[in-house]
Amino acid sequence: MRELAKLLEARLIVAVGDITAFSGDAIVNAANSGLLGGGGVDGAIHRSGGPDILAECRTLRASRLRDGLPTGQAVMTGAGRLAVRAVIHTVGPVWSGGGRGEPELLASCYANCLKLAESSGFESIAFPAISTGVYGYPRNQAGSVAFRTIASFAREHALPGSIWLVFHSEAEANAFLEAISPEASRESPGRTP
Ligand code: ADP
């Protein structure tokens, strides 16, 4: 995992790589509401983490999440063989034009994951670009929702101290940095990403 930039007084680290290689307290899974695995980052997390994560998801589905995890919400499991303490699963909105509450739901994903991490006393958390794969959320708009939600959470909470946004390619990471550049300079006057 390669760091590209630090924003929000170094609380937000923008990186490129495979999120399953993150070592820290938690990684976020862009899951689907069934919680039983899928493609993209979800598949990668279950492949690298091994069967324990899926077993815990199945238990959740058989108990307090019988109808699945609603969009915008988050739930935590162990991390199997991954080099983190927990996986926080969240369900991003499927993009359908932007008029169906997608920005609010995507913001809830980031905020709810951060709340879970904070209440667990976690120092570090790594997010993938939720909803921007199969769920089709336009990357620039998703980036700006992610940035604003993280910035506002970071202003009010001391934990997690390190919040990573991990992009799968350098092109995606650079597009994110470009999209949020005006907002980023408002958050940290005098600095540019
Ligand atoms: P969603 O269904 O929420 O759109 P996807 O898994 O399809 O989720 O994609 C979310 C983002 O995760 C995409 O930008 C994709 O490029 C990225 N991604 C896929 N695999 C990985 C990985 N191993 N590490 C980091 N990001 C990944």
Side-chain angles (χ1 to χ4, degrees), residues 17-20 30 39-42 44 128-136 139 166-168 172:
D18 178 355
I19 200 166
T20 64
V41 75
D42 194 4
I130 300 165
S131 282
T132 67
V134 179
Y135 282 4
R139 290 185 172 280
V166 180
F167 293 92
H168 216 186
E172 285 165 38

Side-chain angles (χ1 to χ4, degrees), residues 43-193:
I45 288 171
H46 285 290
R47 265 195 307 281
S48 308
D52 291 359
I53 304 173
L54 195 58
E56 233 183 294
C57 288
R58 286 215 173 87
T59 306
L60 285 168
R61 286 300 312 278
S63 52
R64 68 182 175 100
L65 293 175
R66 278 183 198 279
D67 297 325
L69 182 65
T71 304
Q73 297 194 19
V75 70
M76 188 153 73
T77 65
R81 298 193 294 256
L82 298 172
V84 286
R85 292 158 67 184
V87 175
I88 299 177
H89 308 262
T90 189
V91 182
V94 175
W95 179 258
S96 48
R100 299 199 171 181
E102 293 95 326
E104 294 76 14
L105 289 165
L106 185 61
S108 300
C109 287
Y110 284 93
N112 284 325
C113 290
L114 288 166
K115 276 185 211 155
L116 273 180
E118 198 238 355
S119 60
S120 308
F122 289 170
E123 260 303 328
S124 60
I125 183 171
F127 285 93
I130 300 165
S131 282
T132 67
V134 179
Y135 282 4
Y137 206 117
R139 290 185 172 280
N140 287 359
Q141 295 178 52
S144 109
V145 170
F147 180 74
R148 270 186 260 128
T149 310
I150 291 168
S152 107
F153 191 92
R155 268 195 297 276
E156 290 173 10
H157 305 270
L159 285 178
S162 299
I163 302 163
W164 294 64
L165 271 180
V166 180
F167 293 92
H168 216 186
S169 74
E170 184 154 347
E172 285 165 38
N174 283 325
F176 166 81
L177 288 169
E178 208 168 299
I180 58 110
S181 152
E183 294 167 72
S185 38
R186 273 198 300 279
E187 290 286 338
S188 311
R191 291 190 195 200
T192 46

